[in-house]
Amino acid sequence: MLNHGLENREYVKLPEGVDIAITPAGVVSRSYAYIIDFLFRSLIMFVVSLVFSFLGDAGQGIILIIYFITSWGYNIFFEMKNGQTPGKKRLKIRVVQDNGLPASFSQIVVRNLLRPADMLPIGYFLGLVVMMFNSRFKRIGDWAAGTMVIYDDEVEARPELPKGNIEIPVLSLSTEEQLAVLAFAERSDELSDARRSELAAILAEPFKLETSEAQSMLVGYARFYSGQLSNSNEQAQSETVQ
């Protein structure tokens, strides 16, 4: 797994050998999502109270039952479908497992049943403190359930590479290193000859390439990586939807 420093982006390797990029959602976005969900729950209870308040004690009992179900079941109901409550969907974040795959029903239940622990002593204070002292912004419920909340990143289309032969690399590179080769090929036409030669020499060093063939071979490797990473993104998106 590779950390991307300031961007807080991580690459997680799935059991199938595919690397997927995830970005943990921070305190601010999760707080906004919580506020939106709180307003939704409040609206539900307001409507319920209007409907059943005329039934006297029986109505009050029904209101309390619905309040209990809404308080405990709202997040579980929405998150078990696709990891998103209405608030999370609005902020484009979702609950997943620590490895980036969709969270299971049992994980969703555990992370929500432990909300009272995060709310101690008042107003999610303990949960916020725990979130701020780990790079994935996991609250207590997330630690217990093995889940995290990430941004629903859209896969950006990469620029087209120059036409030519595909070269199969002789070395196995990490995703970060493959992206560096891709970035070189995609921007090579924008670089000066001196800068292009300088970067090609650095990137070609692990491959033991001659200086004269470094640039063309790296572009060929980039064509190979471009197809490989596209397939990885498609597979990762498919697994996340399931």
Side-chain angles (χ1 to χ4, degrees):
M1 181 174 62
L2 297 173
N3 281 325
H4 273 225
L6 295 176
E7 294 183 355
N8 201 37
R9 181 179 290 263
E10 301 176 354
Y11 286 100
V12 179
K13 185 175 289 294
L14 301 181
E16 294 81 1
V18 177
D19 287 341
I20 61 173
I22 59 175
T23 305
V27 174
V28 175
S29 59
R30 293 179 65 174
S31 298
Y32 280 132
Y34 174 82
I35 292 172
I36 293 173
D37 289 324
F38 176 78
L39 293 176
F40 268 107
R41 294 197 303 270
S42 299
L43 179 60
I44 292 172
M45 291 310 304
F46 175 75
V47 173
V48 169
S49 298
L50 286 179
V51 173
F52 293 101
S53 60
F54 301 102
L55 299 180
D57 292 341
Q60 292 299 319
I62 294 173
I63 291 173
L64 290 174
I65 292 173
I66 295 177
Y67 174 76
F68 176 82
I69 294 173
T70 302
S71 298
W72 289 98
Y74 176 91
N75 289 283
I76 295 174
F77 173 77
F78 285 107
E79 290 178 359
M80 71 179 183
K81 295 193 293 184
N82 60 1
Q84 291 180 305
T85 60
K88 288 184 175 68
K89 187 173 183 179
R90 181 70 179 83
L91 271 295
K92 296 183 179 180
I93 59 179
R94 73 172 63 241
V95 179
V96 297
Q97 298 182 44
D98 284 339
N99 60 6
L101 294 177
S104 66
F105 175 71
S106 60
Q107 290 174 311
I108 295 297
V109 171
V110 170
R111 77 182 300 273
N112 283 288
L113 289 181
L114 285 177
R115 283 186 181 276
D118 287 294
M119 296 174 69
L120 295 172
I122 188 173
Y124 277 94
F125 177 79
L126 183 57
L128 289 172
V129 170
V130 173
M131 288 171 63
M132 293 174 65
F133 283 92
N134 67 91
S135 61
R136 289 187 162 191
F137 305 105
K138 290 158 63 81
R139 59 179 179 81
I140 296 174
D142 289 317
W143 285 109
T147 58
M148 61 185 297
V149 180
I150 65 172
Y151 285 102
D152 228 1
D153 293 334
E154 296 181 359
V155 179
E156 298 181 0
R158 303 192 68 90
E160 289 190 10
L161 295 172
K163 303 296 181 181
N165 296 328
I166 297 176
E167 302 290 343
I168 300 177
V170 295
L171 297 177
S172 177
L173 300 185
S174 67
T175 300
E176 190 174 25
E177 292 167 334
Q178 294 176 29
L179 290 173
V181 174
L182 271 171
F184 168 78
E186 292 165 354
R187 297 182 54 202
S188 59
D189 292 339
E190 305 172 7
L191 303 173
S192 65
D193 292 339
R195 182 58 174 164
R196 187 163 54 243
S197 299
E198 179 185 358
L199 292 176
I202 296 173
L203 294 172
E205 186 174 346
F207 296 101
K208 307 299 182 183
L209 297 175
E210 297 292 336
T211 304
S212 58
E213 63 177 2
Q215 293 186 33
S216 61
M217 290 295 288
L218 286 170
V219 173
Y221 293 158
R223 296 189 189 102
F224 173 81
Y225 291 138
S226 178
Q228 186 182 64
L229 291 177
S230 295
N231 292 336
S232 297
N233 284 332
E234 291 174 3
Q235 181 176 350
Q237 283 186 313
S238 174
E239 289 172 342
T240 302
V241 171
Q242 291 176 358

